[in-house]
Amino acid sequence: MTEIDSDAPILVTGATGYIAGHIVKRLLEDGRTVHAAVRDLSNESRLAALKKLAADLPGTIRFFAGDLLQDGSYGPAMQDCQLVFHTASPCLLTSRNPQRDLVEPALFGTRNVLNQACRTGSVRRVVLTSSCAAIFGDNVDLKRSPREAFAEEDWNTTSSLKHQPYAWSKTLAEREAWCIANSQDRWDLISINPSAVVGPGISAQATSASFDGLEKFANGAMKSGMPHYEIGYVDVRDVAEAHIRAGFTPEAGGRYLICAVNSSFAETAAVLRTHFGDAWPFPQRVLPKWIVWLFGPLVDPALTRKLVWRNVGHRFAADHSRSVRELNLSYRPVEEAIVNHFRQIVDAGRLKPAAGR
Ligand code: NAP
């Protein structure tokens, strides 16, 4: 049972991030003091949305510098905090150097932040933003599971630096987090493992793959057709709420898989077409797997043949019952989140009007 005092500051690493923005918002709404750790304190445009939230809401924000790759850099930000939300980690669909761009910040960063928790006497709980990607690597992995749907008991055992490196980085980072947490008994660890997150950010100036993922439906990349790709979605506000409940529910513990619906690219495209008509080159038809296998990698280097083989046409299902039972989470339908997120992307000028037409 871990209780957090209402007047203790709360650290959020990677506060400029998409998911972190909504966690900070919830904390400020509750009147909390947030220690916002950001990579670059001088980047005013990255901080502007957080400063506006702090001006409008009851809580208080204090900014601190923190770099995942600089050992000890989270010390000042963590001082006096009882609760730490460790969200910072690159969320990229592609990288030419996944060891440098994904694995090192995810793994060293988790080590850096959690070792700092071991050195900071005030810390009682760390909530780690992990991912469904640490639960499974490819949709086909479900066939080897004894269950009908992916759940907290599952671990990704199929990703590597060469295949699904983002998922590999998240798996290494979460495994390291449990290892450090189990080496001591002053603070407890909870991991939040969301599926693909959708919904507008507190700002459109986001680096998250959630933006790139949605943009691919309208930038012409799939204008000739889309794969039969099943995917889980969750509203970013529900992901933030899951973090808050995990942080403040004394008896919470372990891993929480956070996913509202089991969906697909075809359903996403249908939602976008219904709300935005043919203003953008949304994909209309589902391509046979062999065509995606043959030509997909030429159109999108992220779509490797192995990725196509192990995901396209394979069933995805996630079981979120533990989050409902123990965090009392109720999930919003994601259609509204997808529509409002896409609108934010368009309004911010992230898509060129003639994209791919
Ligand atoms: P995001 O907007 O790109 O946020 C990533 C954050 O990490 C940014 O604040 C970024 O800071 C920070 N960061 C990256 N490298 C850093 C470094 N070397 N030092 C310090 N900070 C660094 O992505 P997001 O979607 O919110 O992702 C947040 C977390 O959720 C990640 O752990 C991600 O794996 C996880 N997640 C995301 C999804 C999803 O669908 N979006 C799903 C499951 C899990 P800068 O602003 O300085 O770049």
Side-chain angles (χ1 to χ4, degrees):
M1 295 278 279
T2 302
E3 302 270 0
I4 305 298
D5 297 343
S6 60
D7 55 350
I10 292 156
L11 170 59
V12 181
T13 70
T16 46
Y18 165 57
I19 292 173
H22 282 273
I23 297 174
V24 171
K25 180 166 184 260
R26 277 290 284 106
L27 292 168
L28 293 173
E29 281 167 355
D30 286 352
R32 306 270 179 180
T33 298
V34 179
H35 283 192
V38 301
R39 185 164 23 179
D40 182 0
L41 276 174
S42 67
N43 190 341
E44 277 300 323
S45 65
R46 295 286 284 151
L47 306 187
L50 292 168
K51 287 187 174 173
K52 166 118 185 45
L53 283 180
D56 294 345
L57 294 168
T60 307
I61 199 162
R62 292 189 199 128
F63 290 100
F64 294 85
D67 192 314
L68 294 171
L69 300 172
Q70 276 176 28
D71 198 25
S73 71
Y74 289 91
M78 206 178 287
Q79 182 127 36
D80 300 327
C81 293
Q82 296 177 1
L83 178 58
V84 173
F85 291 107
H86 176 38
T87 81
S89 199
C91 187
L92 309 170
L93 290 180
T94 52
S95 156
R96 286 188 173 187
N97 186 342
Q99 176 66 23
R100 182 197 61 200
D101 299 341
L102 289 165
V103 172
E104 288 175 12
L107 181 58
F108 296 167
T110 297
R111 224 175 254 157
N112 186 4
V113 172
L114 270 60
N115 282 338
Q116 186 63 52
C118 294
R119 292 193 292 267
T120 307
S122 55
V123 175
R124 297 177 184 173
R125 175 166 284 180
V126 176
V127 178
L128 171 76
T129 314
S130 185
S131 172
C132 259
I135 286 182
F136 75 100
D138 299 301
N139 286 356
V140 73
D141 294 347
L142 190 53
K143 287 196 172 143
R144 285 193 318 191
S145 168
R147 287 170 288 280
E148 285 295 299
F150 293 117
E152 287 85 355
E153 297 89 328
D154 297 314
W155 276 92
N156 177 350
T157 57
T158 58
S159 296
S160 67
L161 195 57
K162 290 204 166 131
H163 175 65
Q164 301 271 41
Y166 167 73
W168 171 240
S169 77
K170 295 302 288 180
T171 308
L172 290 177
E174 196 194 324
R175 282 209 181 273
E176 181 72 0
W178 286 110
C179 190
I180 297 171
N182 292 335
S183 70
Q184 55 79 55
D185 56 11
R186 183 171 38 76
W187 50 268
D188 63 4
L189 176 70
I190 294 178
S191 79
I192 297 294
N193 298 65
S195 59
V197 184
V198 285
I202 62 159
S203 142
Q205 212 199 62
T207 51
S208 173
S210 287
F211 284 69
D212 307 331
L214 215 45
E215 283 163 24
K216 279 194 181 188
F217 282 89
N219 67 7
M222 292 194 277
K223 67 181 173 183
S224 310
M226 66 195 135
H228 172 62
Y229 207 122
E230 300 195 9
I231 185 171
Y233 286 124
V234 59
D235 188 312
V236 65
R237 293 167 296 178
D238 291 340
V239 176
E241 190 60 37
H243 281 78
I244 299 296
R245 291 184 190 205
F248 295 105
T249 304
E251 57 278 9
R255 307 174 91 195
Y256 291 101
L257 191 162
I258 306 295
C259 176
V261 287
N262 305 326
S263 184
S264 67
F265 279 18
E267 283 179 12
T268 316
V271 166
L272 292 170
R273 268 201 314 277
T274 302
H275 289 269
F276 300 96
D278 60 1
W280 302 91
F282 301 123
Q284 303 255 15
R285 62 190 186 112
V286 177
L287 298 170
K289 182 168 180 171
W290 70 268
I291 291 193
V292 182
W293 185 86
L294 199 59
F295 298 110
L298 308 177
V299 179
D300 179 356
L303 206 58
T304 63
R305 297 218 160 101
K306 186 170 179 183
L307 192 121
V308 171
W309 193 246
R310 291 180 53 80
N311 289 280
V312 174
H314 292 292
R315 191 172 148 263
F316 168 85
D319 175 1
H320 64 204
S321 57
R322 187 163 192 262
S323 67
V324 173
R325 210 170 45 243
E326 296 189 14
L327 301 180
N328 208 11
L329 207 60
S330 54
Y331 289 93
R332 297 167 169 89
V334 295
E335 181 167 332
E336 181 206 313
I338 290 173
V339 170
N340 289 337
H341 195 172
F342 187 73
R343 195 166 282 131
Q344 180 182 47
I345 285 169
V346 172
D347 290 349
R350 288 176 66 114
L351 279 167
K352 298 287 160 274
R357 280 178 165 273

